[in-house]
Amino acid sequence: MTDRYQAFTKNPIGKMLVKNLGLPNPTPLERWQGGSSLVNGTVALGGKARLSDAVANALAGLGISTDLAATAEGRYKGLVFDATGLTESADLLALQQFFTPLLRSLDRCARVVVLGTPPELLSGAERVAQRALEGFTRSLGKEIGRGATVQLVYVAPGAEASVTSTLAFLLSPKSAYVSGQVVRIGVTGTQEAPSVDWQQPLAGKIAIVTGASRGIGEQIARVLHRDGATILGIDVPQAASELQSVMKELGGDSLTLDITHADAPQRIAHHVAENHGGVDIVVHNAGITRDKKLANMAEDRWSSVIAVNLTAPERITRALLDAGAINANGRIVGVASIAGIAGNVGQTNYAASKAGVIGFVDSLAEELTDGITINAVAPGFIITQMTAAVPFATREVGQRLNAMSQGGLPVDVAETIAWYASPASTAVNGNVVRVCGQMMLGA
């Protein structure tokens, strides 16, 4: 699907109207291509505190060029600031002193990452200062423009060596439609992040993707396969032909069933054990909508959405865990939605199910063992065949109400899931990251 408004802004008449009327002028986003370097340019490093050495080492290992003596005369593809040394509110001035001189030196589609310490682990003035970083990064994300993104990464003490996979994602074009987000990296306890081939980080891994025959699910399968995984695609019998076609192209395996059936979790666990000996990545992507205002909603509309979007992922995950089918350092990923955070008119059932996915992550994150993690993505307006059917005016508003003034693509959701799925992301657990271009509504 194409963004007709974005194309319009690039022709002579469109350019004139954008300039004279102050209309949104979305910047075409850079997205990663296989075989490319992670960062095409130099990243300036600022702040000298707890994470400085770990960040410098991580970027060097990723082959990313860095500058420790950044000047306004340079050109930068990224800025990384270690704010862990800010221990009281007066120290926040360091943010202005580092960023203000450099922001005009950023290239198009640049990346900004601020690193801090989780406020909940602190007290007093230091807790105040670290919590202030959220307001700073969210606001900067809404004003930076030109396709750039801004993120805050809270790194727990003791997790310094676990920042590499998150920096690789957030500084690269893989995070094109992710901005204004807060990521938490914790202490893993039992699993150290292994070194990986950054071109094929999922080599040798088995990944389940539900709803894999089309749309976002198909793109998730393609990106995980690109990164080296063998895909087990799952979809309803009505989509069997499409599913088998995609899996044949990817050299994967397919299983057709209705995930809401009583025996579906056991069938999936049995198939995994018999055919693959276990699974490393489980992506709960399958989902449906049955929109109506609550006053007009029938019980079957409510129940079907909850069953597919929330109850099935809970039951499938529990069956796989109980069967020991998820391998050590495995990954569970839920697909939530911005609707589950901000709500939508006519979507009480859908929003409840997607908020429930977030609750599922919160509930399970501390229960998991053997280095298994659970996280979720929360897509905003993603351009798919489904959104193409939305009335034109509604679709246009939906695409413009974010800091990037455009809709995202299925690959943007898939890239975020691939970051979670990486064996090197073992310290990324219990996160919900919005893939929404930083929507203006909903935190």
Side-chain angles (χ1 to χ4, degrees), residues 175-246:
S175 57
Y177 201 59
V178 177
S179 190
Q181 298 307 289
V182 179
V183 175
R184 281 175 163 77
I185 299 176
V187 179
T188 61
T190 59
Q191 289 281 337
E192 289 188 14
S195 58
V196 299
D197 175 354
W198 294 102
Q199 293 290 333
Q200 287 255 291
L202 303 181
K205 302 299 182 182
I206 305 295
I208 290 174
V209 180
T210 64
S213 67
R214 65 177 74 179
I216 293 174
E218 178 185 349
Q219 195 61 54
I220 294 167
R222 291 185 180 280
V223 168
L224 297 183
H225 169 72
R226 178 205 69 192
D227 283 358
T230 297
I231 309 300
L232 167 57
I234 299 176
D235 219 318
V236 292
Q238 301 93 303
S241 178
E242 294 168 288
L243 177 65
Q244 289 167 7
S245 177
V246 173

Side-chain angles (χ1 to χ4, degrees), residues 384-396:
T384 63
Q385 289 180 333
M386 183 174 70
T387 57
V390 174
F392 176 77
T394 303
R395 185 170 72 248
E396 284 304 306

Side-chain angles (χ1 to χ4, degrees), residues 58-425:
L59 299 190
L62 293 168
I64 297 173
S65 174
T66 58
D67 185 352
L68 294 173
T71 66
E73 289 71 39
R75 297 298 300 175
Y76 302 104
K77 200 64 176 179
L79 305 176
V80 177
F81 185 82
D82 179 3
T84 58
L86 309 186
T87 59
E88 59 182 40
S89 56
D91 293 341
L92 294 168
L93 177 62
L95 297 169
Q96 184 275 330
Q97 292 174 333
F98 175 73
F99 285 105
T100 298
L102 298 179
L103 288 175
R104 289 186 175 86
S105 301
L106 286 177
D107 287 332
R108 188 174 67 87
C109 295
R111 301 285 181 261
V112 172
V113 177
V114 175
L115 301 157
T117 302
E120 60 272 18
L121 302 181
L122 304 171
S123 61
E126 187 173 6
R127 181 169 185 158
V128 173
Q130 291 297 309
R131 182 59 179 80
L133 299 177
E134 280 198 43
F136 172 79
T137 52
R138 291 193 194 278
S139 295
L140 182 56
K142 291 180 176 178
E143 68 179 54
I144 194 168
R146 301 182 68 229
T149 66
V150 182
Q151 324 291 351
L152 172 60
V153 181
Y154 282 130
V155 183
E160 292 82 2
S162 299
V163 299
T164 305
S165 73
T166 298
L167 290 175
F169 173 65
L170 296 179
L171 290 174
S172 77
K174 294 181 178 184
S175 57
Y177 201 59
V178 177
S179 190
Q181 298 307 289
V182 179
V183 175
R184 281 175 163 77
I185 299 176
V187 179
T188 61
T190 59
Q191 289 281 337
E192 289 188 14
S195 58
V196 299
D197 175 354
W198 294 102
Q199 293 290 333
Q200 287 255 291
L202 303 181
K205 302 299 182 182
I206 305 295
I208 290 174
V209 180
T210 64
S213 67
R214 65 177 74 179
I216 293 174
E218 178 185 349
Q219 195 61 54
I220 294 167
R222 291 185 180 280
V223 168
L224 297 183
H225 169 72
R226 178 205 69 192
D227 283 358
T230 297
I231 309 300
L232 167 57
I234 299 176
D235 219 318
V236 292
Q238 301 93 303
S241 178
E242 294 168 288
L243 177 65
Q244 289 167 7
S245 177
V246 173
M247 291 304 110
K248 182 178 180 181
E249 181 183 345
L250 301 182
D253 185 14
S254 62
L255 180 62
T256 54
L257 51 73
D258 183 339
I259 60 173
T260 67
H261 281 181
D263 66 345
Q266 287 69 36
R267 287 179 60 191
I268 293 170
H270 177 75
H271 186 95
V272 165
E274 287 293 307
N275 295 278
H276 302 286
V279 65
D280 301 285
I281 303 155
V282 181
V283 182
H284 295 294
N285 165 75
I288 62 171
T289 58
R290 297 290 184 270
D291 296 352
K292 280 284 184 180
K293 288 187 177 180
L294 188 59
N296 302 317
M297 186 172 294
E299 182 177 324
D300 64 321
R301 283 181 176 268
W302 180 278
S303 298
S304 61
V305 169
I306 298 296
V308 174
N309 297 359
L310 181 56
T311 306
E314 289 181 282
R315 294 177 63 240
I316 292 167
T317 300
R318 181 52 58 192
L320 290 170
L321 289 171
D322 289 347
I326 302 179
N327 296 328
N329 204 25
R331 304 284 179 262
I332 304 164
V333 183
V335 177
S337 169
I338 193 69
I341 298 171
N344 272 335
V345 173
Q347 288 196 318
T348 51
N349 52 355
Y350 182 76
S353 72
K354 293 304 186 178
V357 171
I358 296 171
F360 177 48
V361 170
D362 291 343
S363 172
L364 206 53
E366 294 185 3
E367 174 186 331
L368 297 169
T369 59
D370 295 328
I372 300 171
T373 67
I374 184 168
N375 297 279
V377 292
F381 193 102
I382 305 297
I383 300 172
T384 63
Q385 289 180 333
M386 183 174 70
T387 57
V390 174
F392 176 77
T394 303
R395 185 170 72 248
E396 284 304 306
V397 170
Q399 290 184 90
R400 308 308 153 205
L401 283 179
N402 60 75
M404 295 179 178
S405 300
Q406 60 193 286
L409 300 179
V411 71
D412 299 321
V413 180
E415 294 284 18
T416 307
I417 289 172
W419 157 54
Y420 284 147
S422 171
S425 295

Side-chain angles (χ1 to χ4, degrees), residues 427-443:
V428 180
N429 186 34
N431 285 268
V432 179
V433 167
R434 291 180 296 138
V435 185
C436 64
Q438 196 179 8
M439 284 190 71
M440 299 300 183
L441 302 177

